[in-house]
Amino acid sequence: MSDRALERRCRLLARAYPDGPRAAEVFATLMDSNAGRSRPRAGDAIDVARHGLAARLRGVAPGTRYGRWGDAAAVAIVLFAVMQASALAAIAVALTGPGQVYLTYFADGSIGSYLFGAHPAVLYGAALLALVAVAAATATCLGRVRAARLLTAPSGSAPPAWSG
Amino acid sequence: MQEPTFLILTALADQARHGYGVIQEVERLSAGRVTLRPGTLYAALDRLAAEGLVAVEREEVVASRLRRYYRLTGAGSTALAGEAKLLAANASAARRRLRKAGVSVV
């Protein structure tokens, strides 16, 4: 059970990379590095997500060089998505009305939110959905249709394809 | 040359290794001080391959898992030997100075 859980999580993580031998290679290395565990170490997960997203953003084939710009863009997009998710969560809670919500504007003009009284599950759920929606929209804007489909597909769907 | 790069090249100096093999060998070589994460390792291998210092030797599929073996190229061996010589020279210069200052060096 633990092995299957680890495999499922490693496959999901390896999807951060474009389909191909590199994704399969990362999956195998994640499985080996985390043998005996039910989930990959947080450090491995963050590292693979960051480098995989950078590889996707650069649109390079696996095995070719990529430098710092892809990394920078990946980090920027993740930060942007988190900021937007926070704002969207505040709006979602405000619209559904389970708690008292205050929205404020930070000095730089971005929307910041202070939430009081909302049930934590509602807030986290809204934040998660908003984050996925923003990530899917970003992927679509970048022409990463498969990534967008992946983000909007039910979890546990097809693993990274590799046959060789 | 950064330490992780030096250690990756050293790990590949005597034989071709797959990704996890490199991670294990780097950990052994550094006595547990350096632990490479998978994403960082493959980014480094991509860069080293682009510089002609490492190359893919072969691929294997074991228990439905892809293992790609990397090896040091001739240019990689030369670069590693040059870096090892440089580090050795720097280390011995440091030892000489420390002895001169009366500090015991093991």
Side-chain angles (χ1 to χ4, degrees):
Chain A
M1 178 60 195
S2 174
D3 280 357
R4 279 213 302 274
L6 177 67
E7 183 173 339
R8 198 176 59 245
R9 287 170 176 139
C10 288
R11 283 198 190 285
L12 193 65
L13 263 180
R15 285 184 185 168
Y17 283 83
D19 278 348
R22 173 50 51 80
E25 203 177 7
V26 168
F27 164 70
T29 304
L30 274 171
M31 287 293 289
D32 289 337
S33 305
N34 293 279
R37 299 170 56 90
S38 61
R39 63 184 68 229
R41 288 176 188 83
D44 283 356
I46 293 167
D47 179 73
V48 165
R50 186 169 75 89
H51 285 284
L53 185 53
R56 279 185 182 274
L57 287 170
R58 286 184 55 85
V60 295
T64 59
R65 181 177 186 166
Y66 71 87
R68 289 161 194 261
W69 284 109
D71 266 359
V75 171
I77 285 184
V78 169
L79 285 177
F80 175 75
V82 169
M83 285 169 61
Q84 293 304 303
S86 142
L88 288 172
I91 292 163
V93 173
L95 290 175
T96 52
Q100 194 179 3
V101 178
Y102 301 90
L103 292 176
T104 61
Y105 285 86
F106 286 153
D108 64 1
S110 64
I111 297 177
S113 57
Y114 293 98
L115 303 166
F116 301 97
H119 190 281
V122 174
L123 174 59
Y124 292 137
L128 183 65
L129 285 175
L131 183 60
V132 171
V134 171
T138 307
T140 307
C141 290
L142 291 170
R144 304 291 171 202
V145 178
R146 295 192 63 174
R149 278 187 192 145
L150 182 77
L151 286 163
T152 52
S155 63
S157 55
W162 186 79
S163 56
Chain B
M1 190 184 283
Q2 305 253 336
E3 188 184 14
T5 304
F6 181 80
L7 290 171
I8 290 170
L9 293 179
T10 305
L12 297 174
D14 60 339
Q15 65 179 85
R17 293 179 198 275
H18 54 69
Y20 183 55
V22 174
I23 290 174
Q24 284 181 305
E25 194 59 19
V26 164
E27 203 161 345
R28 239 190 318 267
L29 286 166
S30 66
R33 216 167 21 84
V34 177
T35 303
L36 293 172
R37 303 280 187 196
T40 303
L41 168 71
Y42 288 113
L45 286 172
D46 283 348
R47 182 174 49 79
L48 293 170
E51 290 169 5
L53 304 183
V54 303
V56 175
E57 187 183 79
R58 66 183 192 278
E59 291 180 354
E60 281 176 4
V61 178
V62 179
S64 306
R65 292 184 202 166
L66 174 66
R67 294 192 190 285
R68 224 185 221 173
Y69 286 78
Y70 295 85
R71 65 170 174 81
L72 212 56
T73 60
S77 297
T78 305
L80 180 61
E83 189 67 14
K85 194 174 166 187
L86 183 73
L87 290 174
N90 286 344
S92 84
R95 279 199 200 94
R96 274 199 306 275
R97 289 294 171 99
L98 285 167
R99 270 191 222 106
K100 204 170 161 185
V103 179
S104 92
V105 182
V106 182

